[in-house]
Amino acid sequence: MRGVFATILQNRAVAEDILKMVLRGKDGAGLAGARPGQFLMVRCSDTSDPLLRRPMSLYDVSGDTFSIVYRVVGAGTRLMAKMPEGGEVHVIAPLGNGFNLPPQSGRVALVGRGVGAAPLVFLAKTAIAQGKRVFGFISATSRESLVGVEDLSKMGVELQTGVDTDGSSTELLDLIRERHSAEPFDYVATCGSRRMLRLVQDLRTATGVPGEVLLETRMACGIGVCKGCVVMTADGTYKKVCTDGPVFPVELIAG
Amino acid sequence: MTERPDMSVAIGGLKLRNPVIAASGVVGYGVEYADLGVLDCFGAIVVKGTTLAPRAGNPPPRLAETPSGLLNSVGLENPGVDAVIREVIPRIPRTGARIIVNVAGATVDEYCRVAEKLDRVDDVDALEINISCPNVRTGGIQFGTVPETSAALVEAVRKCTGKVLIVKLTPNTGSICEVAKAVEQAGADAVSLINTILGMAIDVQSRRPVLSTVFGGLSGPAVKPIALRMVWQVSNEVTIPVVGMGGISEANDALEFLMAGASAVAVGTALLRNPRAGLEIVRGLEDWLVSEGMDDIRAVCGSAKAVRP
């Protein structure tokens, strides 16, 4: 990891209240070696308000550029949304542990909701590069707020989308179960929805398919120092989302 | 003048190469920031609050961001003193920064036993006795709000260690000067202040407090004027050195605390946002001394109190 100023190559809406920011480190070093599921800490203000950086999952790493997709939810992301293209922003990256695609897995399912689909796009790209068959199940509250579906279908991900306002995603979840029982997945990754996490946990319990979840929480440092971002895990201990995660085996996390 | 100014200061018998300290709780175990290459600059590093037995800390959420501030309720999560001695202290890169361990506990006996164990560790240069943690139910702040209990605790710990003893004071008392005087009498070599200020935040959507513990400790630039005032007051009342902290983010903030009477300063929350803050403050202080034609940082200490002709 390193702290670096990055040039903002692109910062524009890709869905409702959701923007994509494409960056290039000013030291020219790129983020080679960064893995899907890792994140950046973005400094969103030059003043002390908002005080803290914002953790943002990597959406893509390509050559010397890298990108994030973020939803405008508060003061920090509002400031980020106003950052001009051509300007610069300070980031610390890459942080945390990425997804662990099992080498032998041939069929990979990615299950995401809302902006939680963003880190799954980078994972899909990696899985496809490894010759895996990737199935995407992406939901959102509206068609306009679906994230990553265009990029996923361009990559050749076999995609199912669902739209529901209450987070139930019933049809999509049923579809995942059906697909899995017809021809099982070898690995499932999820982000962005408790219901989806529970489904992946159920699949794991019922059929043993390994699953991983990327957790998103508030953080202060992002590098394991402040212990502010902990989550209680199934073994009865607190784990830091930033450095023990943000990707965890689904069986370790309370659904 | 081509020579760099003398930045060294003394905290009791402990000489620091410069007056900038990484505060407890923000350099973790000194290992994480080493990866970013920003630890080499400090005069001292304070290892996070250490208790006799491991502590799991408080349930999440433990953080709430407030205007120019941060509320936390981590609750002294730490692996216990034995693990700190065995696994943590040996891993701290030796860069010339002194190592100070922040000591916490629920009873006088617990503080004493932690101090005794650390007394036997050569790599530990000083102890910071935390009588001010607002995030644990027993001990901590319970000692630090009352002069008599503070003095009794420090007196007991003093008997357990020959290391330099810094006592970290809480602002959550009506009598911080009385507590400072009492711990000086009881044998403290220095006092550090302020620990965080008790505060809270409410999530209006859920109509619930943000922190699982309801209250937490406020730090960051928001607390700086209060901290500065207390450093000014306490340094008037004691003869032992004062380590000033509370919202220090840049060299100018550090200068204010030194001018108010601090002999050294600690940087905390600023490091979370800007890992290079320590480095920038050390350089900024040096540059300021040069620009003022001064050759010794110690001349800054308390200089705002000097009577002007």
Side-chain angles (χ1 to χ4, degrees):
Chain A
M1 74 171 146
R2 68 190 199 280
V4 65
F5 279 101
T7 304
I8 301 169
L9 303 177
Q10 182 194 317
N11 188 27
R12 57 187 77 152
V14 291
E16 198 172 30
D17 287 331
I18 292 172
L19 289 87
K20 180 179 182 184
M21 185 183 275
V22 182
L23 300 164
R24 178 187 287 134
K26 298 198 91 166
D27 60 0
L31 285 185
R35 298 170 51 210
Q38 288 191 299
F39 65 98
L40 326 176
M41 289 296 278
V42 179
R43 193 158 79 195
C44 41
S45 163
D46 289 333
T47 73
S48 62
D49 193 21
L51 186 66
L52 301 174
R53 290 168 184 263
R54 296 294 186 265
M56 295 290 165
S57 293
L58 280 166
Y59 180 84
D60 190 26
V61 173
S62 178
D64 62 350
T65 70
F66 48 98
S67 59
I68 55 176
V69 168
Y70 62 98
R71 193 156 67 92
V72 177
V73 289
T77 41
R78 269 199 298 277
L79 286 172
M80 285 175 61
K82 286 185 193 149
M83 288 180 179
E85 293 179 355
E88 64 177 31
V89 61
H90 193 270
V91 300
I92 300 176
L95 299 170
N97 303 293
F99 290 102
N100 302 285
L101 277 171
Q104 71 284 9
S105 61
R107 293 165 59 85
V108 169
L110 308 179
V111 184
R113 180 166 173 86
V115 79
L120 302 179
V121 176
F122 187 15
L123 181 59
K125 182 178 161 181
T126 308
I128 283 171
Q130 292 174 8
K132 301 181 193 308
R133 195 167 162 197
V134 181
F135 301 83
F137 302 90
I138 306 298
S139 80
T141 51
S142 67
R143 208 117 297 272
E144 294 69 42
S145 48
L146 282 166
V147 167
V149 292
E150 204 176 305
D151 287 335
L152 286 170
S153 29
K154 265 192 244 163
M155 284 174 206
V157 170
E158 294 165 56
L159 198 59
Q160 298 291 332
T161 58
V163 168
D164 60 274
T165 49
D166 61 355
S168 57
S169 307
T170 316
E171 286 169 25
L172 204 58
L173 297 184
D174 287 344
L175 195 61
I176 295 167
R177 276 189 212 95
E178 274 169 35
R179 287 282 174 84
H180 183 64
S181 60
E183 194 177 351
F185 303 119
D186 302 309
Y187 169 83
V188 187
T190 186
C191 180
S193 151
R194 286 240 158 237
R195 279 191 179 84
M196 288 177 163
L197 168 60
R198 276 199 290 275
L199 169 80
V200 180
Q201 288 170 327
D202 291 347
L203 292 181
R204 151 99 202 167
T205 310
T207 66
V209 57
E212 291 188 304
V213 57
L214 187 150
L215 298 182
E216 296 181 307
T217 59
R218 291 180 183 277
M219 296 180 184
C221 70
I223 63 173
V225 166
C226 71
K227 301 184 197 289
C229 66
V230 296
V231 57
M232 177 54 82
T233 54
D235 63 7
T237 63
Y238 290 122
K239 296 269 190 307
K240 289 172 283 192
V241 172
C242 65
T243 51
D244 297 322
V247 175
F248 293 94
V250 287
E251 62 273 21
L252 212 55
I253 302 301
Chain B
M1 192 168 67
T2 52
E3 240 172 66
R4 299 305 292 171
D6 184 355
M7 291 281 282
S8 67
V9 297
I11 304 296
L14 184 68
K15 197 170 177 191
L16 310 185
R17 62 184 170 180
N18 70 56
V20 183
I21 299 171
S24 172
V26 288
V27 286
Y29 293 117
V31 183
E32 299 87 348
Y33 280 109
D35 292 347
L36 284 169
V38 295
L39 266 192
D40 306 354
C41 59
F42 291 103
I45 292 167
V46 184
V47 174
K48 191 175 163 51
T50 299
T51 51
L52 189 59
R55 283 186 70 109
N58 290 322
R62 294 177 172 183
L63 298 174
E65 195 180 35
T66 61
S68 297
L70 172 65
L71 285 162
N72 90 80
S73 62
V74 172
L76 290 176
E77 178 179 334
N78 81 96
V81 65
D82 291 333
V84 166
I85 291 171
R86 205 173 49 239
E87 289 152 30
V88 174
I89 292 168
R91 284 172 62 206
I92 301 176
R94 303 313 309 249
T95 62
R98 299 292 196 169
I99 295 179
I100 302 170
V101 180
N102 184 285
V103 175
T107 63
V108 173
D109 182 58
E110 186 182 351
Y111 279 94
C112 287
R113 289 171 65 191
V114 176
E116 275 166 11
K117 285 173 184 267
L118 291 168
D119 187 62
R120 296 194 287 267
V121 182
D122 287 342
D123 278 343
V124 174
D125 296 301
L127 306 183
E128 181 178 57
I129 306 303
N130 181 351
I131 58 168
S132 45
C133 180
N135 291 327
V136 291
R137 230 176 271 153
T138 53
I141 198 168
Q142 286 186 334
F143 291 102
T145 52
V146 181
E148 292 75 21
T149 52
S150 302
L153 174 68
V154 172
E155 208 167 300
V157 174
R158 176 77 286 174
K159 290 185 187 129
C160 304
T161 179
K163 300 215 189 264
V164 169
L165 214 55
I166 304 164
V167 179
K168 187 163 182 176
L169 305 180
T170 176
N172 304 305
T173 168
S175 54
I176 193 166
C177 289
E178 298 308 312
V179 174
K181 284 191 281 187
V183 300
E184 178 180 33
Q185 283 269 299
D189 296 306
V191 287
S192 56
L193 62 142
I194 57 175
N195 205 320
T196 54
I197 300 174
L198 208 56
M200 73 177 295
I202 291 175
D203 179 347
V204 295
Q205 298 257 278
S206 65
R207 305 185 187 189
R208 298 294 307 152
V210 175
L211 298 174
S212 71
T213 50
V214 184
F215 302 150
L218 181 66
S219 62
V223 310
K224 198 191 89 179
I226 300 169
L228 191 63
R229 183 262 293 178
M230 289 183 163
V231 165
W232 176 286
Q233 288 176 313
V234 167
S235 61
N236 282 342
E237 299 290 334
V238 297
T239 56
I240 50 177
V242 172
V243 178
M245 72 190 86
I248 295 175
S249 310
E250 50 188 69
N252 210 65
D253 301 327
L255 281 169
E256 284 191 71
F257 277 82
L258 295 171
M259 289 177 182
S263 299
V265 294
V267 183
T269 305
L271 288 171
L272 302 176
R273 164 190 170 78
N274 175 17
R276 292 173 59 83
L279 202 64
E280 290 169 9
I281 291 170
V282 172
R283 285 187 189 155
L285 288 177
E286 274 188 338
D287 290 347
W288 186 84
L289 289 175
V290 170
S291 72
E292 293 294 303
M294 295 170 72
D295 57 8
D296 191 340
I297 189 84
R298 284 168 296 187
V300 181
C301 179
S303 59
K305 289 172 173 167
V307 181
R308 294 191 187 277

